[in-house]
Amino acid sequence: MKSRIGDNAAAVVAMAALGAFLLAPLAALALQAVTSDDGRIGLAGAVRYLTSPGLAHSLANTLELAVAVVATVIPLALLTAFALERTALPFKGFLTAATGVPLLIPSLLPALALVYLFGRQGLLTPLFGGQTIYGAQGVYLADVIATFPHALVIIRTALSAADGRLYEQAALLGAKSWRAFLTITLPGVRHGLVAAATATFSLTIADIGAPKVVGGNFDVLALDIFKAVVGRQDFTVAAAASLFLLTPSLFAVAAERMAARKRAALISSRSTPFTPTPNRVRDVAVGVGAWTIALAILGVLGVCQMAALVSRWPYDLSLSLAQYDLDRVDGGGWSALSNSVLLGLTTATLGTAFAFFAAWASERSKATPALRQALSAIALAPAAVPGLALGVAYVLVFNDPANPLHILYGGFGILIAVSVTHAFTVAYLTCAAALKSLDAEFEAAGDVLGGGGARLVARVIAPLCAPTLVEVFVYLFVAATTTVSAVVFLYPPDVKLASVAILNMDDAGDIAPAAAMGMLIVYVNLCARGLGLFAQTLLKRRRTSSADAAVSGDPARAH
Amino acid sequence: MSEAASVRVQGLSRRFGTVTALNGVGFTAPAGELTCLIGPSGCGKTTLLRLIAGLDAPSEGAIEIDGQDVTRLSPAQRGAGMVFQSYALFPNMTVEANISYGMKRGLSAREMSARVDQLLETVGLPGLNHRLPNALSGGQQQRVAIARALAPDPRILLLDEPLAALDPQIRERLRVELKSLQHRLGVTTIMVTHDQEEALAIADRIVVMRAGRIEQADPPETVYNLPASAFVAGFVGAANVIPATVSAPGQIQLFGVRSLAAATADFAIGASVTVCVRPEAVRLEQGEGRGVSARIVARQFAGATQKLEAALEGVARARVSLEVPADRPAPPIGALVHLDFPADRLRLFPGAEASAVSAQDEVAWT
């Protein structure tokens, strides 16, 4: 049938785009790892890297760091998520906002705060007998703060789906609340915990900001790649190290998807919503924990903001806007911020459109099932590729004049492409979930009533997904303005970016302007988030405001 | 409304990989009538409806509407309106926008609006133009879905379990309204349902399907009184389905032991047959009498009738369901009774339907 051909073409186009911007670069990465310096295929370069004395060291450091961060973040995130979803604590809105803020900040910002608190001239350093933060402990702390909100979002989602009947049944059977927690709550969020651990692990091993700012002599794989590319232009070593980064991420994502597939539907249509009942002991214990975390996060931000507002930390603490004279220092100045905003807007616009298009093709089009399955499998791949590895791969592929997409290289286009690809999976999955939740018979109804698939998408499917599209837009905007790792090898000399500027300013010793720039990104993203929430509220209100309230009569609904 | 059109389906098959969902199906839905497709889940009734609508293409066979071959036409070209099980009302659009979605292009806004008013009047929901679907009850949503299906002025109307999403009490009221609306409009209607009682109540014709084939296509009275197979007897209405053998001309042996009079002209002596008899056809003789002796093992009060279950004496696992008017005193559990099976109410089918006996136990008491 005619419509099927068009829908197949749509699925193929989506796959081709993912092929050009993800699979081809990854293939080039793998190829580069086995190319020696004279351009011949061979393991010489890889062997050189594998046998270098630094590697075993970096590898062990990276793993140790990632395991320590996961082991810290998951319990903390579980505690906070439990406080937000399963207790009757007051001020949950404030807690939610405070613990979620790190989602909006560049990953370097916590590291900068640590410098101000525990660095050579840190505010709290004297308390530790002059012991500074630089080294493993600094990277660990910075990554814990940076990855915590990502784990929190995932675990909260898992905890929010609770079947109240199970808890009532447990109470009737005489189970105490700790027993209900161990036998119902934990097994129910097991999958969420695995997913959160996976995400935390991948983010940690790929982070370049914390090791760069507070790492001292603590070498990790990400730093090896950075030094190989920026310092020595040694792409064979960079590619080989990237594969080391990529492999555990790939396994983690694959394992997580398998676990997700096995998971039975825990919430049935007959479930009753869970309403937390006050429990003094539990609420106080959990509340103290959650408030401590929230205040610690706000403290970190506060320190950065203060550092950016005083004349000269820690010698002259009088207030001053001198640090905001960003054009005074190297790094790009105010134009870097406007470039970042522009990158955020273009990435969000193109990325939202593409993610929705791909999700539509795989979830709702009439394309052949095999094509749709292939597309949804490929769409998961970007989540398994750390930003640094993607950046190296992009340099390899798009720097090649033989590539027809070479025109993107050295311009704004490559930055948009890498930002969209880097954040694609979450955007895609969010769109796919929204599309999946729509009535399966809409397309059939549209076909019978006439007008074709495009009219249905324009008038029904897309409007119904509008709140989700706003959410995806904000997510992509924030991702593009905060990422360092994906763009650090790709930004052209004349297009400085704010997130990279933080890195460069810190490198040059201009820590206070770096903190000022970091906080500016935070405020831009807070605005974006606020505008997004406002737009979502407007969209949802428009949909539910009918001429009258629900009429009397039978409450039976189709769905 | 367009002139009523008949629908003719010939040799229609649909295979999904190795699964055959429809296997050479043919029937005619006469113009202006309400035809019900019924059968157990997985029998292919929804597949058949979607093929008629054009939402899916058949592997073989042809579909004609009003004598025109529409097998290759797109859904919108066929002139079929359809109401979906979930109604599939577009939740972001008002009732008016939903109904106008499928109207012909080129109508002025005023013409469209007038047509919407007229359709809402027809389905009994005047004035609800600017409501959103979520602000309507289930029954109202169903009627908006019907109005939307009627808006393009279709030649036929297809309904996919239109009452399944409603509460039982409303369902019974709405099926009467649905029938009277269909009768008033005179639009040829094909409706899928899994509820045999619903089909008996409102259909002009019933098409009974099983495993991708049609077992019987007849008016409801014929399907009930003269079922074409033991399966139809068991699926439409309650029936006792009992294995038997023809022992002599005019004689059968029930469960291999009890002799009964029956019309055996179509069968050879010694042939295995399946006997179907409706519970209300089994006559109860208290105390000594003719017929088969049995003991009452279960009683259910069902308002106008008493449903009884009797175990035949001396035959293992031989149960018979029967129904007696509630105003007559029913024997208590444990009472010994005699059951009379009137020869003219017994339907004989060739072969021993082994599976039908166990399936019957469930069907008879629902």
Side-chain angles (χ1 to χ4, degrees), chain A residues 19-41:
Chain A
F21 289 105
L22 179 74
L23 301 184
L26 289 185
L29 192 68
L31 195 65
Q32 180 68 42
V34 294
T35 304
S36 55
D37 297 334
D38 49 9
R40 277 202 308 245
I41 299 294

PDB file of all heavy atoms in Angstrom, chain A residues 19-41:
ATOM      1  N   GLY A  19      22.951   6.452  11.164  1.00  0.00           N
ATOM      2  CA  GLY A  19      24.119   5.787  10.600  1.00  0.00           C
ATOM      3  C   GLY A  19      25.238   6.791  10.312  1.00  0.00           C
ATOM      4  O   GLY A  19      26.395   6.575  10.670  1.00  0.00           O
ATOM      5  N   ALA A  20      24.874   7.922   9.711  1.00  0.00           N
ATOM      6  CA  ALA A  20      25.882   8.912   9.327  1.00  0.00           C
ATOM      7  C   ALA A  20      26.485   9.598  10.547  1.00  0.00           C
ATOM      8  O   ALA A  20      27.673   9.909  10.564  1.00  0.00           O
ATOM      9  CB  ALA A  20      25.251   9.954   8.398  1.00  0.00           C
ATOM     10  N   PHE A  21      25.654   9.850  11.570  1.00  0.00           N
ATOM     11  CA  PHE A  21      26.139  10.649  12.698  1.00  0.00           C
ATOM     12  C   PHE A  21      26.522   9.824  13.919  1.00  0.00           C
ATOM     13  O   PHE A  21      26.987  10.352  14.909  1.00  0.00           O
ATOM     14  CB  PHE A  21      25.106  11.705  13.079  1.00  0.00           C
ATOM     15  CG  PHE A  21      25.005  12.797  12.057  1.00  0.00           C
ATOM     16  CD1 PHE A  21      23.922  12.858  11.198  1.00  0.00           C
ATOM     17  CD2 PHE A  21      26.016  13.734  11.929  1.00  0.00           C
ATOM     18  CE1 PHE A  21      23.838  13.855  10.235  1.00  0.00           C
ATOM     19  CE2 PHE A  21      25.942  14.734  10.973  1.00  0.00           C
ATOM     20  CZ  PHE A  21      24.856  14.791  10.128  1.00  0.00           C
ATOM     21  N   LEU A  22      26.283   8.515  13.877  1.00  0.00           N
ATOM     22  CA  LEU A  22      26.668   7.702  15.028  1.00  0.00           C
ATOM     23  C   LEU A  22      27.466   6.467  14.614  1.00  0.00           C
ATOM     24  O   LEU A  22      28.595   6.276  15.058  1.00  0.00           O
ATOM     25  CB  LEU A  22      25.418   7.262  15.811  1.00  0.00           C
ATOM     26  CG  LEU A  22      25.777   6.399  17.012  1.00  0.00           C
ATOM     27  CD1 LEU A  22      26.378   7.254  18.102  1.00  0.00           C
ATOM     28  CD2 LEU A  22      24.579   5.639  17.527  1.00  0.00           C
ATOM     29  N   LEU A  23      26.875   5.636  13.742  1.00  0.00           N
ATOM     30  CA  LEU A  23      27.515   4.361  13.429  1.00  0.00           C
ATOM     31  C   LEU A  23      28.794   4.557  12.629  1.00  0.00           C
ATOM     32  O   LEU A  23      29.817   3.931  12.917  1.00  0.00           O
ATOM     33  CB  LEU A  23      26.535   3.448  12.691  1.00  0.00           C
ATOM     34  CG  LEU A  23      25.252   3.149  13.473  1.00  0.00           C
ATOM     35  CD1 LEU A  23      24.366   2.167  12.714  1.00  0.00           C
ATOM     36  CD2 LEU A  23      25.588   2.580  14.859  1.00  0.00           C
ATOM     37  N   ALA A  24      28.756   5.448  11.625  1.00  0.00           N
ATOM     38  CA  ALA A  24      29.963   5.680  10.822  1.00  0.00           C
ATOM     39  C   ALA A  24      31.113   6.223  11.679  1.00  0.00           C
ATOM     40  O   ALA A  24      32.234   5.709  11.606  1.00  0.00           O
ATOM     41  CB  ALA A  24      29.646   6.618   9.657  1.00  0.00           C
ATOM     42  N   PRO A  25      30.868   7.235  12.525  1.00  0.00           N
ATOM     43  CA  PRO A  25      31.959   7.689  13.396  1.00  0.00           C
ATOM     44  C   PRO A  25      32.488   6.588  14.311  1.00  0.00           C
ATOM     45  O   PRO A  25      33.705   6.472  14.511  1.00  0.00           O
ATOM     46  CB  PRO A  25      31.311   8.809  14.222  1.00  0.00           C
ATOM     47  CG  PRO A  25      30.215   9.318  13.360  1.00  0.00           C
ATOM     48  CD  PRO A  25      29.701   8.132  12.615  1.00  0.00           C
ATOM     49  N   LEU A  26      31.585   5.758  14.838  1.00  0.00           N
ATOM     50  CA  LEU A  26      32.063   4.680  15.723  1.00  0.00           C
ATOM     51  C   LEU A  26      32.917   3.686  14.950  1.00  0.00           C
ATOM     52  O   LEU A  26      33.928   3.189  15.459  1.00  0.00           O
ATOM     53  CB  LEU A  26      30.869   3.968  16.374  1.00  0.00           C
ATOM     54  CG  LEU A  26      30.125   4.768  17.440  1.00  0.00           C
ATOM     55  CD1 LEU A  26      29.046   3.910  18.082  1.00  0.00           C
ATOM     56  CD2 LEU A  26      31.089   5.272  18.507  1.00  0.00           C
ATOM     57  N   ALA A  27      32.491   3.397  13.715  1.00  0.00           N
ATOM     58  CA  ALA A  27      33.283   2.481  12.886  1.00  0.00           C
ATOM     59  C   ALA A  27      34.670   3.085  12.631  1.00  0.00           C
ATOM     60  O   ALA A  27      35.688   2.391  12.702  1.00  0.00           O
ATOM     61  CB  ALA A  27      32.565   2.214  11.569  1.00  0.00           C
ATOM     62  N   ALA A  28      34.694   4.391  12.366  1.00  0.00           N
ATOM     63  CA  ALA A  28      35.977   5.056  12.128  1.00  0.00           C
ATOM     64  C   ALA A  28      36.855   4.985  13.367  1.00  0.00           C
ATOM     65  O   ALA A  28      38.068   4.805  13.289  1.00  0.00           O
ATOM     66  CB  ALA A  28      35.734   6.516  11.733  1.00  0.00           C
ATOM     67  N   LEU A  29      36.212   5.092  14.521  1.00  0.00           N
ATOM     68  CA  LEU A  29      36.944   5.020  15.789  1.00  0.00           C
ATOM     69  C   LEU A  29      37.624   3.658  15.932  1.00  0.00           C
ATOM     70  O   LEU A  29      38.813   3.557  16.257  1.00  0.00           O
ATOM     71  CB  LEU A  29      35.962   5.255  16.941  1.00  0.00           C
ATOM     72  CG  LEU A  29      36.542   5.493  18.320  1.00  0.00           C
ATOM     73  CD1 LEU A  29      37.268   6.815  18.365  1.00  0.00           C
ATOM     74  CD2 LEU A  29      35.427   5.477  19.360  1.00  0.00           C
ATOM     75  N   ALA A  30      36.832   2.601  15.660  1.00  0.00           N
ATOM     76  CA  ALA A  30      37.376   1.248  15.768  1.00  0.00           C
ATOM     77  C   ALA A  30      38.522   1.051  14.769  1.00  0.00           C
ATOM     78  O   ALA A  30      39.542   0.446  15.079  1.00  0.00           O
ATOM     79  CB  ALA A  30      36.268   0.223  15.540  1.00  0.00           C
ATOM     80  N   LEU A  31      38.333   1.606  13.573  1.00  0.00           N
ATOM     81  CA  LEU A  31      39.358   1.458  12.529  1.00  0.00           C
ATOM     82  C   LEU A  31      40.637   2.193  12.921  1.00  0.00           C
ATOM     83  O   LEU A  31      41.749   1.686  12.757  1.00  0.00           O
ATOM     84  CB  LEU A  31      38.803   2.017  11.210  1.00  0.00           C
ATOM     85  CG  LEU A  31      39.574   1.640   9.951  1.00  0.00           C
ATOM     86  CD1 LEU A  31      39.492   0.133   9.724  1.00  0.00           C
ATOM     87  CD2 LEU A  31      39.011   2.393   8.745  1.00  0.00           C
ATOM     88  N   GLN A  32      40.456   3.406  13.469  1.00  0.00           N
ATOM     89  CA  GLN A  32      41.624   4.208  13.847  1.00  0.00           C
ATOM     90  C   GLN A  32      42.447   3.505  14.922  1.00  0.00           C
ATOM     91  O   GLN A  32      43.679   3.589  14.926  1.00  0.00           O
ATOM     92  CB  GLN A  32      41.158   5.580  14.352  1.00  0.00           C
ATOM     93  CG  GLN A  32      42.277   6.506  14.781  1.00  0.00           C
ATOM     94  CD  GLN A  32      43.135   6.967  13.610  1.00  0.00           C
ATOM     95  OE1 GLN A  32      42.624   7.290  12.553  1.00  0.00           O
ATOM     96  NE2 GLN A  32      44.437   6.974  13.814  1.00  0.00           N
ATOM     97  N   ALA A  33      41.751   2.791  15.822  1.00  0.00           N
ATOM     98  CA  ALA A  33      42.464   2.126  16.915  1.00  0.00           C
ATOM     99  C   ALA A  33      43.425   1.067  16.403  1.00  0.00           C
ATOM    100  O   ALA A  33      44.389   0.727  17.081  1.00  0.00           O
ATOM    101  CB  ALA A  33      41.461   1.508  17.888  1.00  0.00           C
ATOM    102  N   VAL A  34      43.152   0.553  15.206  1.00  0.00           N
ATOM    103  CA  VAL A  34      44.042  -0.476  14.665  1.00  0.00           C
ATOM    104  C   VAL A  34      44.842   0.063  13.474  1.00  0.00           C
ATOM    105  O   VAL A  34      45.263  -0.690  12.610  1.00  0.00           O
ATOM    106  CB  VAL A  34      43.270  -1.749  14.247  1.00  0.00           C
ATOM    107  CG1 VAL A  34      42.662  -2.420  15.476  1.00  0.00           C
ATOM    108  CG2 VAL A  34      42.183  -1.433  13.234  1.00  0.00           C
ATOM    109  N   THR A  35      44.993   1.393  13.398  1.00  0.00           N
ATOM    110  CA  THR A  35      45.807   1.978  12.330  1.00  0.00           C
ATOM    111  C   THR A  35      47.094   2.516  12.944  1.00  0.00           C
ATOM    112  O   THR A  35      47.046   3.270  13.915  1.00  0.00           O
ATOM    113  CB  THR A  35      45.051   3.129  11.643  1.00  0.00           C
ATOM    114  OG1 THR A  35      43.804   2.623  11.175  1.00  0.00           O
ATOM    115  CG2 THR A  35      45.847   3.671  10.459  1.00  0.00           C
ATOM    116  N   SER A  36      48.224   2.130  12.365  1.00  0.00           N
ATOM    117  CA  SER A  36      49.483   2.604  12.944  1.00  0.00           C
ATOM    118  C   SER A  36      49.855   3.957  12.345  1.00  0.00           C
ATOM    119  O   SER A  36      49.191   4.456  11.446  1.00  0.00           O
ATOM    120  CB  SER A  36      50.592   1.575  12.699  1.00  0.00           C
ATOM    121  OG  SER A  36      50.666   1.307  11.324  1.00  0.00           O
ATOM    122  N   ASP A  37      50.918   4.534  12.839  1.00  0.00           N
ATOM    123  CA  ASP A  37      51.259   5.911  12.480  1.00  0.00           C
ATOM    124  C   ASP A  37      51.487   6.104  10.984  1.00  0.00           C
ATOM    125  O   ASP A  37      51.215   7.163  10.437  1.00  0.00           O
ATOM    126  CB  ASP A  37      52.517   6.353  13.243  1.00  0.00           C
ATOM    127  CG  ASP A  37      52.256   6.363  14.736  1.00  0.00           C
ATOM    128  OD1 ASP A  37      51.075   6.524  15.101  1.00  0.00           O
ATOM    129  OD2 ASP A  37      53.216   6.202  15.506  1.00  0.00           O
ATOM    130  N   ASP A  38      52.004   5.063  10.299  1.00  0.00           N
ATOM    131  CA  ASP A  38      52.266   5.230   8.870  1.00  0.00           C
ATOM    132  C   ASP A  38      51.022   4.930   8.041  1.00  0.00           C
ATOM    133  O   ASP A  38      51.096   4.778   6.827  1.00  0.00           O
ATOM    134  CB  ASP A  38      53.436   4.326   8.431  1.00  0.00           C
ATOM    135  CG  ASP A  38      53.259   2.907   8.910  1.00  0.00           C
ATOM    136  OD1 ASP A  38      52.154   2.600   9.425  1.00  0.00           O
ATOM    137  OD2 ASP A  38      54.194   2.104   8.767  1.00  0.00           O
ATOM    138  N   GLY A  39      49.870   4.813   8.694  1.00  0.00           N
ATOM    139  CA  GLY A  39      48.623   4.679   7.963  1.00  0.00           C
ATOM    140  C   GLY A  39      48.258   3.250   7.627  1.00  0.00           C
ATOM    141  O   GLY A  39      47.222   2.991   7.019  1.00  0.00           O
ATOM    142  N   ARG A  40      49.104   2.288   8.008  1.00  0.00           N
ATOM    143  CA  ARG A  40      48.772   0.903   7.708  1.00  0.00           C
ATOM    144  C   ARG A  40      47.917   0.311   8.819  1.00  0.00           C
ATOM    145  O   ARG A  40      47.999   0.721   9.983  1.00  0.00           O
ATOM    146  CB  ARG A  40      50.056   0.079   7.543  1.00  0.00           C
ATOM    147  CG  ARG A  40      50.663   0.190   6.160  1.00  0.00           C
ATOM    148  CD  ARG A  40      51.535  -1.000   5.898  1.00  0.00           C
ATOM    149  NE  ARG A  40      52.503  -1.177   6.982  1.00  0.00           N
ATOM    150  CZ  ARG A  40      53.817  -1.059   6.828  1.00  0.00           C
ATOM    151  NH1 ARG A  40      54.315  -0.776   5.644  1.00  0.00           N
ATOM    152  NH2 ARG A  40      54.620  -1.248   7.852  1.00  0.00           N
ATOM    153  N   ILE A  41      47.083  -0.677   8.417  1.00  0.00           N
ATOM    154  CA  ILE A  41      46.296  -1.374   9.423  1.00  0.00           C
ATOM    155  C   ILE A  41      47.242  -2.241  10.247  1.00  0.00           C
ATOM    156  O   ILE A  41      48.065  -2.971   9.703  1.00  0.00           O
ATOM    157  CB  ILE A  41      45.230  -2.273   8.757  1.00  0.00           C
ATOM    158  CG1 ILE A  41      44.269  -1.424   7.928  1.00  0.00           C
ATOM    159  CG2 ILE A  41      44.473  -3.089   9.799  1.00  0.00           C
ATOM    160  CD1 ILE A  41      43.418  -0.489   8.731  1.00  0.00           C
TER     161      ILE A  41
END
